[in-house]
Structures are given as C-alpha cells and as structure tokens.
Amino acid sequence: MILVWGSVEDSPVARVIDELSAKAATFVHIDDNDLEHMSFNMTLGSPPEGWIEMKGRRMNISELKAIFLRPGNPLTARSARNAHVMLQLASVLPGVVLNRPAADLSNHSKAYQLDLISKSGFAIPPTLVTSDPVVAKKFLHRHNRLIYKSLSGVRSIIAIIDISRQDRLEEVRTGPVQLQKWIEGIDVRVHIVGEKWFACEIQSGAADYRYASVDGKAAELSNLEISTEVGRKIVRLAHYLNLPLAGVDLRRTPDDRWVCFEVNPSPGFPYYENATGQNIAGAIADYLIQDPL
Amino acid sequence: MIVILGSQYDPVAVGLAKSWADAELCTAEDLVSPGWSWQVAENDQPTWVISGNTVPDKDVTGVFVLRSAVLPDELATIHQDDRVFMSSELRAFITFLLASTRALVVNPIVNHTFGEDSLRREWWVTFAKKADVPVYRKRITHLLNARPLPGVAWKVEVVGSETFSDAPESICKRAKKTAQAADFLWGIFSFNSRRSLIDISTGKMPSHEAAKALYQILKRGKQ
C-alpha cells in the first residue's frame, strides 16, 4: 500500500495521484481533513508496529510500503497532533518515503545546506553571513554584485546589491544576513527521482525567475540534455542529503561550470512539467511502486 | 573561551556562565548585534558576538548549546513586525554556526537541527537500535488519555566517555553506547526497571559532577 498525504489542491499531489491511478497502483490518499478523523494505535520502534484507520479503512502499519508526503497546515489541535504522529511514522517506516522529515530540515538553513553541497563536491557561490557592515562592504567590493537572500526556509524574493547601493549594507547591523556573489549564467533546475534526472533550462532577465512577472519579465523554460557525468553528480548530491526526490537549483556559467545554489526537498515540479513535457510525476509514481526489498 | 548558547532568562544557562571560568553567555541580543562574520565553506577568520564583544572563532574552544530556537519575544531590539521572521532567520543561522565552528559543540547538529529538537523520539530509537540497546516501546493512540511513561528506575548522565549515575555498570554502558551512536557528548538517559531506555533529555541542569566533566571537555575543545 502506498500512502499519499497532501491536498489535491496542491498540484504535485494531484499529479502523483493521477499517475498512481493510471498505473493501477494500490494507494490511499489523505489530506488534512482526513487527519481530523484518523485513529491509530502504534509503537514507533524500528520497525514501527500497530495500525492506523483512515477513511473507514483500518490498515496494519506493515502494509504500508511507501509514503509521498506534502502536508499542509492543520487547522485544529487534533489534526495537528495526528499530523505530528504521521511525521513520526514517516521518519521510521522502512521502505520508500518521499521525503524523510529529517532530510527536509537541511533546507531550513540555506547557508548550512550550501556548506553540505560544497562538501559533496559541488561548486557553490561565495557566500557570507554577517552583521558587520564593514565586512559586508569589503565582500561587495571583492565581487561587485551581490544577492541578498534569507537564511531560513521562509520564502523570500531575492534582492540585488551593487556598488551604487552599498549604503544599504549598513542595515546588516541588525542581521545576520546572507550575501552571495552574483553568478553569471543560465538557470537550470534538475529534478531528481531516485537515479533519474530531469533537467530544465530557464531563460529569464529577472534576478529570481520564480518572480519574473513581478519584475515585468518573462521566464522561458525548455528541456535540457545534460551529460551523464553531470547528471550522476547531481544524483549523488541528492542522495548525500538523503533526498531521493529533490529539485536542484544550479547555474551553468559561460565557461561551463556548474554552480549549485540549493536542493529543494519538496519541489513544485508541475510548473516545469507543464513547460517541458517531462513526466516527473510518472517517475515519482514508479519510485513509490517499486519493491524496496 | 567557552560559549554558552542560551537565554539570559534561563537560570541553567546563567548559572553555568557564572560558575565556569572563562565562560560567557551568547544571548539572543548578541545574535542580532553587529560583528558576526562567517563565510560558507571558506577557511577564513569567522567572528562571534558574545556578551556584546566581537570574538574570533579561534578563541572559542567549546560551545554548550542550551536552546532549540530563539523566541520572537526575546528580540526586544527588533521591530515587532519583524520578530517572527528574525526568529526563523536566527534558527537557520545557529544551525549553520554550530556546523561551521571549529570549537567543540555539545551537542553537535543531528539530523540538521540542534538542542532538544535533535532528541525527537523517532530519531533516538534508531540510534538505540544501532547501539543494540533495548527501547521501551511507547504505545501511542488517538485517544487523549495517553498511557504515561513507566517509572524511571535509573538515570545516567553521559558526558563524553564518562557516565555519572548509581545505576549498574551494564545500564551505564547502554547509555554510553547510545550516546556514541547519536554523536551526543552529553545527555540524561532514563531507563525502566526492565533496563529498557525510556527517554533522553538535555533540558535539565547537569549534576555537579557532570558539569565539572562538561567544563573540562569544553575547555579542552577538539583534539
């Protein structure tokens, strides 16, 4: 049995459900409303034991072979408590979990994750975390153009700082803030599902293509063939972070270097599927269906 | 210098900063003060802000972590509208800081998080299994009248390779093995009368003997 947890209003969840249905997989879908009515009796050992009952069906935990989770924000205390229990179960369940809750946490600190990316052998942009305006200005003068982005997982629009705006760096006193060298090149998003990769090139004049329309600019996405060497390197990176499902953000520089910015553990892949025709949801469904033993 | 990463409102943190020689408390106010400088994956000269002063990382031998987050209410110098955001930013910063410092960290980052948050039951049961230590199988149900944990027969404090307890040697060994499997340098391990591990905590004041041992390993730093 495969468990899909998330709202059908969330397009990645809807896509995975469609693919599992098309492949006649045995699965059950729950959302935050279902958590309100969930009952369970289990021990969270290694392995976990017991049962959970959802949508009128009682299931032995040993029946659960895989979980795909994109939980939302529970609205009641009861559903929040039950969501917490489900996250605990997702942490210890043997088999396939996309993704383990612990692995998600690396993305909650961008600088920390960037350090891990560097340790895995990928080039990263020079990055400074500081609350010292003098140090920040020296960093700007060394690199001429910087990106400011938030340190935490709280989504934010990035800002560009160049020499003409260096006075803004006085504001870092109440920091610490994250400053990164602007890297010239083409944005590439690579989705990893197990050993497979799906690469997409994004052409945009905006500093952050996700918000290109805010800047009055367009973002054009297209399928990209990458070499096996680069593909495998990105797969190794995702596995190093224990993320069999990941959306990896890179930039390919004019001198053909690959610089990695971030590994997203809950990628919003439909945006890229729509533009390229890539079937990432199909790959996810296949990964969930596989027999882990 | 030993850095105690904690709150000025936490009597444990304040008490240790007073009783340990060459130890200073790094508070929420320090975290949002000018003077921090850390580059990612670079062999540079990073700096802390501790008790209002800028301190090079090379002068810090040990960091004792006594928080899992920075609460918005601690950020009195930050505009009220920005406190929740800054609280998230500081949690992210502390994760990066603890992973990057050359000082010995007690306890280090586990599963990309720190403090009591790194002691989630669903994680430490796997560490205990790795150490071949039996764990009390706590039953959880949807019913709100949850069964309480069994009585604690023994508590063992582990500090590095030492244990502090009147428990039998075999229990102390189990605590030490679990700590090593989890990369914990300090913790209080509770066992029931069947010698199964019930709980692990770092939320209490170390005992006098454990505090002395903690001081020594934090002073010595990384070997």
Side-chain angles (χ1 to χ4, degrees), chain B residues 4 7-8 10-21 23 25 66 205:
Chain B
I4 298 169
S7 169
Q8 67 206 63
D10 177 3
V12 175
V14 171
L16 287 173
K18 280 192 179 136
S19 62
W20 284 349
L25 185 59
L66 283 175
M205 179 77 173

Side-chain angles (χ1 to χ4, degrees), chain A residues 132-178:
Chain A
D132 187 328
V134 171
V135 169
K137 286 177 185 172
K138 272 189 188 156
F139 191 69
L140 172 60
H141 282 269
R142 193 180 323 145
H143 298 299
N144 293 318
R145 200 175 184 209
L146 300 179
I147 295 287
Y148 156 81
K149 52 170 78 165
S150 73
L151 275 159
S152 62
V154 175
R155 200 167 170 96
S156 69
I157 299 176
I158 65 173
I160 297 178
I161 302 170
D162 57 29
I163 304 285
S164 67
R165 300 167 81 189
Q166 65 176 313
D167 287 343
R168 284 200 63 191
L169 292 175
E170 289 295 325
E171 294 168 25
V172 309
R173 288 176 189 281
T174 57
V177 302
Q178 180 176 231

Side-chain angles (χ1 to χ4, degrees), chain A residues 43-287:
Chain A
T43 57
L44 290 171
S46 189
E49 290 175 353
W51 54 264
I52 48 177
E53 189 171 308
M54 295 178 282
K55 293 185 159 175
R57 185 181 182 236
R58 180 171 291 197
M59 184 180 3
N60 195 303
I61 284 171
S62 61
E63 289 178 58
L64 258 184
K65 301 300 182 195
I67 302 178
F68 176 76
L69 59 148
R70 284 181 66 96
N73 293 314
L75 294 175
T76 69
R78 187 188 168 101
S79 56
R81 178 177 175 253
N82 290 347
H84 177 67
V85 169
M86 289 303 293
L87 287 172
Q88 288 182 299
L89 181 61
S91 292
V92 297
L93 189 80
V96 172
V97 178
L98 299 180
N99 280 314
R100 300 277 177 193
D104 270 13
L105 294 178
S106 75
N107 193 241
H108 288 200
S109 170
K110 305 300 182 186
Y112 166 78
Q113 193 195 62
L114 207 57
D115 190 39
L116 292 176
I117 291 169
S118 173
K119 285 182 166 99
S120 85
F122 252 102
I124 60 169
T127 302
L128 171 68
V129 180
T130 189
S131 63
D132 187 328
V134 171
V135 169
K137 286 177 185 172
K138 272 189 188 156
F139 191 69
L140 172 60
H141 282 269
R142 193 180 323 145
H143 298 299
N144 293 318
R145 200 175 184 209
L146 300 179
I147 295 287
Y148 156 81
K149 52 170 78 165
S150 73
L151 275 159
S152 62
V154 175
R155 200 167 170 96
S156 69
I157 299 176
I158 65 173
I160 297 178
I161 302 170
D162 57 29
I163 304 285
S164 67
R165 300 167 81 189
Q166 65 176 313
D167 287 343
R168 284 200 63 191
L169 292 175
E170 289 295 325
E171 294 168 25
V172 309
R173 288 176 189 281
T174 57
V177 302
Q178 180 176 231
L179 301 167
Q180 212 166 63
K181 177 186 175 181
W182 168 267
I183 301 291
E184 285 294 339
I186 304 292
D187 283 311
V188 177
R189 161 62 76 101
V190 180
H191 287 95
I192 299 296
V193 183
E195 300 290 321
K196 293 184 179 173
W197 61 82
F198 302 84
C200 174
E201 181 177 287
I202 304 107
Q203 297 271 2
S204 169
D208 186 342
Y209 69 84
R210 296 171 301 169
Y211 301 100
S213 58
V214 172
D215 289 344
K217 297 187 160 95
E220 289 178 20
L221 283 64
S222 57
N223 195 42
L224 177 70
E225 291 296 324
I226 58 175
S227 69
T228 304
E229 182 193 350
V230 172
R232 283 197 181 142
K233 190 174 179 183
I234 300 171
V235 166
R236 277 199 303 275
L237 168 60
H239 291 194
Y240 174 69
L241 295 174
N242 197 23
L243 293 170
L245 169 64
V248 185
D249 288 327
L250 308 111
R251 207 161 265 184
R252 190 178 191 176
T253 64
D255 58 351
D256 210 33
R257 275 191 323 128
W258 290 86
V259 179
C260 184
F261 291 83
E262 184 175 344
V263 180
N264 187 330
S266 295
F269 58 84
Y271 171 69
Y272 305 88
E273 283 189 324
N274 292 345
T276 63
Q278 292 166 350
N279 189 1
I280 300 165
I284 292 171
D286 287 336
Y287 194 80

